[in-house]
Amino acid sequence: MKAYIFPGQGAQFTGMGLDLYEKSSLAQEYFEKANKILGFSITDIMFEGTAEQLKETKVTQPAIFLHSVILAKVLGDSFQPEMVAGHSLGELSALVANGVLSFEDGLKLVSQRALAMQKACEVQKSTMAAIIGLEDALVEEVCAAIDGVVVAANYNCPGQLVISGEIEAVEKACEILKEKGAKMAVMLPVGGAFHSPMMEPAREELAAAIEATVFSNPTCPVYQNVPASAVTNPDEIKKNLMLQLTAPVKWTQSIQAMIADGATEFIEVGPGKVLQGLMRKIDRRMAASGATLPE
């Protein structure tokens, strides 16, 4: 069974999507449509912008979504997913790819998500840190014992967990986790504490936008970040998407569930190879590759 997976924030690079634009008139149509919906030329920033410009949340999230979704559209009949999943932001790409959301609605939600997260980051300074080389349970235990907000945010692969929360609490957790044998405990250059209670204002704002959006029946199950299991009911998909901003991304668990349900091949759709790298650490027996343009 073919499983298609979609990357999240951090996969962006200057020049992303340009090959799609140049090789496909269908891609051009979608990119031009996106410029109109967003009200600014995101293609200029994607194709020629600096790394600094691309790093702005209001640009990064739509840029990665567009690269992923337009690539899936250009693949045409060869794109036949039997299951999909997306890492954080990538979940919205996955939901367009499996027919739950229209391209337009997906892009509007991504743009609203990015702006809401940006706003939440400005309310209170917060951060994230990557913890390498410890059992998940130990990291969770340390976070739970610290005063202040610090939680497990991204279960990326065995031995790699990202924590998220108030700056002092995250720093304190890093200190203790190093003492407990973490190979690395490094602060990440991010704008805020994504997938933590600190994103509650963004969750509320996005929940209202999701509520007002039409969700259709999917063409195949989506393995969502919150339950880390197959979901096909549009109302459930909606509910999980609303919870996603303040809940952890259970990526390891989602991939393991897909394998348990029969996935034999994983194809990453979008910029970069981050998810292929994580796949090798989750289960190196699985075939993992990146989607490429038809010749």
Side-chain angles (χ1 to χ4, degrees), residues 133-134 138 141-142 174-183:
L134 287 179
L138 179 58
E141 200 181 294
V142 167
C174 285
E175 229 173 89
I176 296 169
L177 290 164
K178 275 181 196 159
E179 285 166 16
K180 290 195 179 284
K183 285 182 195 163

Side-chain angles (χ1 to χ4, degrees), residues 29-63:
E29 273 174 49
Y30 276 108
F31 276 120
E32 295 305 341
K33 197 186 274 190
N35 286 338
K36 283 200 184 80
I37 291 169
L38 293 170
F40 67 95
S41 182
I42 193 163
T43 47
D44 286 353
I45 305 173
M46 286 172 74
F47 304 161
E48 295 159 14
T50 62
E52 209 48 50
Q53 288 171 305
L54 262 180
K55 219 166 63 182
E56 262 191 271
T57 298
K58 72 165 191 173
V59 173
T60 315
Q61 294 196 21

Side-chain angles (χ1 to χ4, degrees), residues 77-91:
D77 292 341
S78 71
F79 182 75
Q80 299 285 347
E82 291 167 271
M83 43 176 82
V84 294
H87 191 289
S88 188
L89 155 75
E91 189 159 286

Side-chain angles (χ1 to χ4, degrees), residues 2-147:
K2 274 188 183 178
Y4 285 85
I5 49 179
F6 297 82
Q9 209 158 329
Q12 69 276 8
F13 62 90
T14 299
M16 62 189 286
L18 183 58
D19 56 338
L20 278 174
Y21 190 91
E22 289 176 342
K23 287 180 185 167
S24 163
S25 57
L26 180 65
Q28 280 176 28
E29 273 174 49
Y30 276 108
F31 276 120
E32 295 305 341
K33 197 186 274 190
N35 286 338
K36 283 200 184 80
I37 291 169
L38 293 170
F40 67 95
S41 182
I42 193 163
T43 47
D44 286 353
I45 305 173
M46 286 172 74
F47 304 161
E48 295 159 14
T50 62
E52 209 48 50
Q53 288 171 305
L54 262 180
K55 219 166 63 182
E56 262 191 271
T57 298
K58 72 165 191 173
V59 173
T60 315
Q61 294 196 21
I64 292 167
F65 167 87
L66 289 171
H67 192 292
S68 294
V69 167
I70 293 172
L71 175 53
K73 300 270 187 203
V74 172
L75 292 174
D77 292 341
S78 71
F79 182 75
Q80 299 285 347
E82 291 167 271
M83 43 176 82
V84 294
H87 191 289
S88 188
L89 155 75
E91 189 159 286
L92 282 150
S93 310
L95 291 175
V96 173
N98 79 344
V100 170
L101 290 169
S102 68
F103 172 80
E104 293 79 0
D105 284 344
L107 180 56
K108 284 174 190 164
L109 282 180
V110 167
S111 179
Q112 285 166 305
R113 180 185 193 271
L115 295 170
M117 286 169 83
Q118 188 75 48
K119 252 192 273 178
C121 291
E122 286 157 12
V123 172
Q124 194 180 353
K125 290 275 177 264
S126 56
T127 193
M128 301 175 87
I131 311 300
I132 312 287
L134 287 179
E135 292 289 326
D136 292 348
L138 179 58
V139 179
E140 291 162 354
E141 200 181 294
V142 167
C143 288
I146 287 172
D147 282 340

Side-chain angles (χ1 to χ4, degrees), residues 208-226:
I210 289 170
E211 199 52 74
T213 303
V214 174
F215 278 54
S216 305
N217 286 311
T219 54
C220 69
V222 56
Y223 287 68
Q224 289 187 279
N225 293 176
V226 171

